[in-house]
Amino acid sequence: LALFGYGGHAKEVATQIGGQFTFFVDDEFSDGISKPISEFNHEEFSIMIAISNPELRKNVVDKLHKDISGLGVKGFILSP
């Protein structure tokens, strides 16, 4: 499982779930710890959007869905 986000909410999600995670962020925010989303491989990872702001989270999901819609990726779960 990978997490999109590397702020406080993403770190809290990672702590609550436990285990090792790969973090992805928008390319311009990649810092060597978090990977650029352009490197996300849907065959290698499932991804959870770990952004606390629901509007920003929906924007990310919409963008990712548009970017990978032709790849047969199943399952985005949005919570309000």
Side-chain angles (χ1 to χ4, degrees), residues 18-47:
Q20 297 292 319
F21 293 93
T22 300
F23 293 90
F24 287 93
V25 294
D26 286 326
D27 289 5
E28 64 268 20
F29 299 113
S30 177
D31 62 3
I33 297 172
S34 55
K35 293 185 174 189
I37 194 62
S38 62
E39 294 181 10
F40 176 73
N41 179 346
H42 74 280
E43 294 179 357
E44 183 179 356
F45 296 103
S46 295
I47 194 163

Side-chain angles (χ1 to χ4, degrees), residues 3 5-18 21 23 48 50 52:
L3 297 177
Y6 195 62
H9 183 71
K11 292 173 185 173
E12 182 66 24
V13 168
T15 299
Q16 293 297 318
I17 295 174
F21 293 93
F23 293 90
M48 174 186 285
S52 62

